Amino acid sequence: MNDFTKFIKSNQEQAVASWVNYLNQVRIDQLLNSFRQQDENLLNALSSVDEATKRISLEVVTSNRGGQHGMHGFIAELAEVGIGNARKQILGQDSVYQWVNDNGPVDLVRSGVDIQQKFVASGGRFSLGAIAEHLEKYPDYVKNGGKYQIPRDHFEVVERLRAMSPEEAGKLSRSGDGPSFTDWRRIDAFFRQGSIDLESLEPSTLEYRQVQKGVYESTMEAEENSLRSTDQSQRDNAYQKSLPTLRQGASATLTAAAVEGGTAFVLAVVAKKREGKQLREFSQQDWLDIAGETGLSFGRGGIRGSSIYALTNFTATSAAAASSVVTASFSIADQANKLRRGEIDELEFIENAELLSLEAAVSALSSFVGQAVIPVPVLGAVIGNTVGTIMNRTVASSLTKRESELIERYLDEQRVLDEQLTTEHQELVQKLDESMSNYLGLLERAFSPDMQIALLGSAELARQLGVPTDEILNSEAKVSAYFLD
């Protein structure tokens, strides 16, 4: 393989690696963008709930709006707005609720739909009695597209009883905690009037008990916790979407195979034409040779693509380094085959393997630097690889025999120095171990629970640390004189 062919193949290999790296980077960028957007979503959602809680406290509870029996209705309206908007915002959607707050026929507006809330437990009609009174005052409310919203627990009972036949309802208990036959009769009578159907009703986000004066704060706090849980689920989903997939891996494999196979086909045709043959003069054997080279390169390209994709996604390996590892592996495998066939000896095999690994490393480093300097997918890696390869070959070819011998002698000297330093290092470590062992022994004696041993050990430790002998308390007389005189 001549230098031009090597140069083209090296650029093609690093171009494939850069493209795979680009695919990986796109996924990572999308994940980071999703996290940034979710940060904003969570902030907006929690702000909606906090604002609703503050308005309930100031505009309803503190001002005693609605009095003892009507306050919970205004609490329900503000809570519905805050929670309803927050549940949309946590998903990255726009707010949908507006609080009308004019004591008119409409309490809320949701995406252009008028909503009248009724949170009434008295009368045993699950808020339907209040709806009937509102319809008497505003008979065209439903015809004009308005909807009624009742507590979620009320709606569930109404929906269930509305679907019952008289025979089923007759089996209901006439007393107790659950819905009774009397409840069914009231609901049935309401819908028999024909002024409204079940489709004009909808459940609120909250139940009746959750909007009471002493409960709403815990309700809003629970909603904030639920929003944080939803936020985490959104982040988990974004992370799962960012993971490498079999489909993308297969795409990288096929693309790398096609690029490497196509490059091999072009180079094989160019090589035949350089032999003096025109395209129309190619024989059947020529085309078989080209097909063989193309097929082999197609297989290698597939291995390269899948290997780079796996190494860059499942190990801490850059795309340029991964491509060079694959290239070096293929090249060393070729040298191994030559060694088995007896075409080269063991020394040549080692020397060739070292040279091939060096060239692969230069290619990886050059592509990495080129991509950093020119942050354009593929282009930066190709330009970097081109410059690095040319510089490497220029430097290598410019060395004279004398300079090569100087480098070899320098390397030999470095190996001798390395061995010498290793020996000295081992000796120093051994001395350090011995000194540390002696020091620990001194400490053990100096802090012995036996007073006599501790006295002698302390004196010995003091001498080792350079304390003057006349200042060391190494006898009972010196100790008594030090403390009593």
Side-chain angles (χ1 to χ4, degrees):
M1 185 183 297
N2 57 42
D3 290 343
F4 174 76
T5 302
K6 286 184 178 180
F7 175 72
I8 294 298
K9 287 182 68 63
S10 177
N11 274 340
Q12 166 258 305
E13 291 162 358
Q14 288 300 334
V16 168
S18 180
W19 177 74
V20 174
N21 184 68
Y22 172 71
L23 294 181
N24 296 336
Q25 191 60 49
V26 167
R27 292 201 326 273
I28 294 173
D29 290 343
Q30 289 175 345
L31 175 63
L32 296 178
N33 287 335
S34 297
F35 283 171
R36 282 192 290 268
Q37 182 61 52
Q38 197 55 42
D39 289 339
E40 183 177 349
N41 294 344
L42 179 61
L43 179 61
N44 292 337
L46 293 177
S47 296
S48 291
V49 175
D50 287 341
E51 181 182 0
T53 304
K54 292 176 182 177
R55 295 191 69 179
I56 291 172
S57 176
L58 295 174
E59 300 180 30
V60 179
V61 177
T62 302
S63 63
N64 197 33
R65 187 174 182 180
Q68 181 179 356
H69 301 292
M71 180 182 295
H72 68 275
F74 293 105
I75 293 176
E77 292 175 13
L78 279 168
E80 186 72 29
V81 171
I83 292 176
N85 287 338
R87 291 186 178 181
K88 292 293 184 180
Q89 290 168 328
I90 197 66
L91 302 177
Q93 302 173 16
D94 294 331
S95 300
V96 293
Y97 275 102
Q98 291 179 331
W99 189 34
V100 177
N101 192 26
D102 62 359
N103 294 321
V106 178
D107 292 331
L108 315 172
V109 176
R110 184 188 62 227
S111 301
V113 177
D114 294 339
I115 296 175
Q116 171 65 217
Q117 265 196 355
K118 292 301 177 184
F119 271 64
V120 180
S122 61
R125 290 190 289 175
F126 304 98
S127 302
L128 297 183
I131 292 176
E133 293 175 2
H134 187 270
L135 280 171
E136 289 180 3
K137 190 174 181 180
Y138 305 100
D140 295 330
Y141 177 76
V142 174
K143 293 179 182 179
N144 293 334
K147 294 183 75 70
Y148 288 101
Q149 192 177 90
I150 62 176
R152 189 175 73 241
D153 51 334
H154 287 192
F155 183 85
E156 291 172 355
V157 174
V158 170
E159 186 179 39
R160 181 157 62 92
L161 295 183
R162 173 64 176 154
M164 283 187 179
S165 65
E167 292 76 16
E168 291 176 308
K171 300 177 183 178
L172 292 172
S173 172
R174 296 181 182 272
S175 62
D177 297 333
S180 65
F181 180 70
T182 302
D183 294 330
W184 179 85
R185 289 177 58 186
R186 289 171 179 167
I187 292 173
D188 183 65
F190 174 82
F191 286 107
R192 279 183 181 275
Q193 294 176 1
S195 58
I196 189 173
D197 55 23
L198 189 62
E199 284 69 27
S200 297
L201 302 181
E202 68 176 30
S204 167
T205 301
L206 302 169
E207 296 181 358
Y208 182 81
R209 62 177 178 79
Q210 293 178 306
V211 297
Q212 303 307 308
K213 179 180 178 181
V215 180
Y216 77 90
E217 289 178 326
S218 61
T219 298
M220 304 302 273
E221 183 178 351
E223 182 61 27
E224 289 186 348
N225 292 333
S226 176
L227 290 171
R228 290 188 177 91
S229 178
T230 302
D231 171 71
Q232 187 59 51
S233 297
Q234 291 292 103
R235 294 175 191 273
D236 291 342
N237 291 337
Y239 174 71
Q240 291 298 324
K241 290 180 181 179
S242 73
L243 294 176
T245 62
L246 182 62
R247 181 176 181 180
Q248 192 177 61
S251 175
T253 299
L254 292 175
T255 302
V259 170
E260 193 148 341
T263 303
F265 174 81
V266 172
L267 291 176
V269 171
V270 170
K272 292 292 183 181
K273 290 179 65 65
R274 284 181 175 176
E275 294 176 0
K277 295 182 180 180
Q278 296 298 320
L279 195 63
R280 63 178 179 274
E281 298 174 350
F282 283 10
S283 65
Q284 181 178 6
Q285 185 59 46
D286 291 333
W287 286 114
L288 287 175
D289 294 340
I290 293 172
E293 183 64 27
T294 302
L296 180 61
S297 296
F298 185 90
R300 286 186 172 184
I303 296 173
R304 182 185 306 281
S306 59
S307 299
I308 293 174
Y309 190 80
L311 287 171
T312 54
N313 284 290
F314 301 109
T315 66
T317 308
S318 68
S323 178
S324 295
V325 168
V326 176
T327 299
S329 299
F330 284 147
S331 301
I332 292 174
D334 289 338
Q335 295 299 314
N337 285 328
K338 292 181 179 180
L339 177 63
R340 294 190 192 102
R341 293 194 299 265
E343 297 177 10
I344 58 176
D345 57 25
E346 293 182 358
L347 181 59
E348 289 177 314
F349 170 75
I350 294 175
E351 290 176 347
N352 292 343
E354 289 178 345
L355 180 60
L356 291 168
S357 298
L358 176 61
E359 290 179 349
V362 169
S363 175
L365 180 60
S366 302
S367 298
F368 182 80
V369 173
Q371 192 66 73
V373 175
I374 307 175
V376 179
V378 181
L379 180 62
V382 171
I383 292 177
N385 182 67
T386 301
V387 174
T389 301
I390 292 175
M391 290 178 62
N392 176 57
R393 289 178 181 171
T394 301
V395 172
S397 61
S398 64
L399 294 177
T400 65
K401 181 178 179 181
R402 180 173 177 274
E403 291 166 341
S404 299
E405 290 176 350
L406 286 173
I407 292 176
E408 286 293 331
R409 188 173 67 186
Y410 171 76
L411 292 176
D412 290 338
E413 291 174 353
Q414 290 299 310
R415 281 192 288 269
V416 172
L417 179 61
D418 182 62
E419 293 175 358
Q420 179 182 347
L421 292 176
T422 300
T423 302
E424 292 179 1
H425 176 262
Q426 291 175 347
E427 292 175 353
L428 289 173
V429 169
Q430 184 176 356
K431 290 181 180 179
L432 180 61
D433 288 341
E434 293 173 356
S435 299
M436 183 60 69
S437 178
N438 293 335
Y439 176 68
L440 292 176
L442 282 175
L443 288 179
E444 184 178 357
R445 290 192 294 276
F447 294 96
S448 172
D450 188 315
M451 185 178 299
Q452 188 63 31
I453 296 177
L455 178 62
L456 297 176
S458 299
E460 186 178 357
L461 177 61
R463 281 193 294 272
Q464 290 293 332
L465 295 176
V467 178
T469 303
D470 57 346
E471 295 181 8
I472 298 176
L473 305 180
N474 54 3
S475 67
E476 291 184 7
K478 286 186 177 182
V479 172
S480 297
Y482 179 82
F483 288 101
L484 298 178
D485 292 347

